[in-house]
Amino acid sequence: MKLLIKNGRIITADQDYVADILVENEIVSQIATSIDTDADETIDASGKYVFPGFIDPHVHIYLPFMGTYAKDTYDSGSRAALVGGTTTLIEMCCPARNEDPIEAYELWKSKAEGLSACDFSFHMGVTIFDETTPDKLKQIVDDGITSFKVFLAYKGAFGVTDEELFHTCKLASELGVVVTAHCENADLVSQRQAELIAEGKLGPEYHEPSRPVTVEASGVHHFCTFLEMTGASGYIVHTSCRDAVEAAMPFRDRGVDVTLETVIPYLVLDNTYAELPNFEGAKYVMSPPIRDKTHQAFLWNAIASGTISTVATDHAPFDFAGQKEMGRPPESNFTKIPNGIPSVEHRATLLYTAGVSTGRLSLRRFVELVSTNAAKQFGMFPQKGTIQLGAHADLVIWDPSYRGTISASSHVMDTDYDGFEGFEITGRPEVVTCRGQVSVRDGKFVGSLGHGKLVQRSTKAE
Ligand code: DUC
Ligand code: ZN
Ligand code: ZN
Ligand code: ZN
């Protein structure tokens, strides 16, 4: 199969030029000003941008959580990802504390293999650490899973003790794998929740006050201290506020290898959504919570300057009916609202609309934030995250002239609401290829379920 893409404006983290791209056997085989060859398919990309396939390094697809299950499967989830230009997902594998890591890893993998239309990998959740853990984790790392995930929050479900955190970081440092971390002080959160409920504060608008910015900053400080003590490389997922980012800075200045992520909801939503009438605020409950607008402005500067390296989603989809509603007062309260906002489909279009179209981000920074930096951080570069000879032909042909409106009535994700309902977008992926397979055409999924493969990622040492 030979695919020829002509006259596109190719934009990578460090280059911006017009050329033709030839794709053969899943990889980019030629890039030149003008390629003339008999191709099976030729796509005219004049007036379009060609980006490397986007990578979402933080999603949840299979997720038993808060008494229910996240809504998407790899069927809906990978189709939604591809329509949004995302050709690779890194999912959090989140075993319960009594679950065997190898069995959990095999279970999570079985949900994706043979079903996912896009490529995928996992961060291996470490939710318990005993004497059998190192050997088991080594086996998983040998399968190309070169990052761990720890939760400082959600004690009892996934959260680790400090002793376990120490051993996890030690092992990661030894193996050259990255420790990704959800940083919120779990005990402070539960104490605050109990206080608010005792005061009769039950609605979704109390979710944010139950986990204020200082609680997140405390988690960041705590995690960074463990990185410093063990020499491990860390990646802090979903930083939501100035305080969390600033808590990491002194460690970075002292040479601790810590990278920061934010997620798209924090960049385009603010905490006024939590106050919507009729319990609609529940649609916007995720953790860490959506903050006020001053933090949003700070985050935009931090992604533009490079202080924050990646924009992911933390895609964790729950229906409003039957799932978010589990936390509806007066019978229930905000602590029972499943945490998460469906967003895997909209990350790049929202970032482009609110970032590139407004002049806040350059095209090349956009590519770094949605693709290249994640590929580098998680051992996939230059196979993924750029457009060059020999790289995977994961390509997004982007139409900057497209105008549209986000709606649950047209989205691909399997939820009954869309947190970005009515948002107008400028630009979208018109054609998307995943290892050479045309998977999106005219913005619609045309790929095949099961095409996606587990990505072989390298460690920091390799
Ligand atoms: N936060 C969420 O909002 N959902 C899933 C897990 C998490 O950390
Ligand atoms: Zn998290
Ligand atoms: Zn501390
Ligand atoms: Zn998450």
Side-chain angles (χ1 to χ4, degrees), residues 60 63 65 149 151 154 182 238 285-288 314 316 339-340:
H60 302 270
L63 181 66
F65 186 50
K149 168 74 186 283
F151 288 91
Y154 306 118
H182 175 132
H238 52 42
V285 166
M286 67 176 291
S287 292
D314 198 15
N339 288 193

Side-chain angles (χ1 to χ4, degrees), residues 172-186:
S173 164
E174 218 178 280
L175 300 178
V177 315
V178 178
V179 185
T180 72
H182 175 132
C183 296
E184 288 180 300
N185 182 299

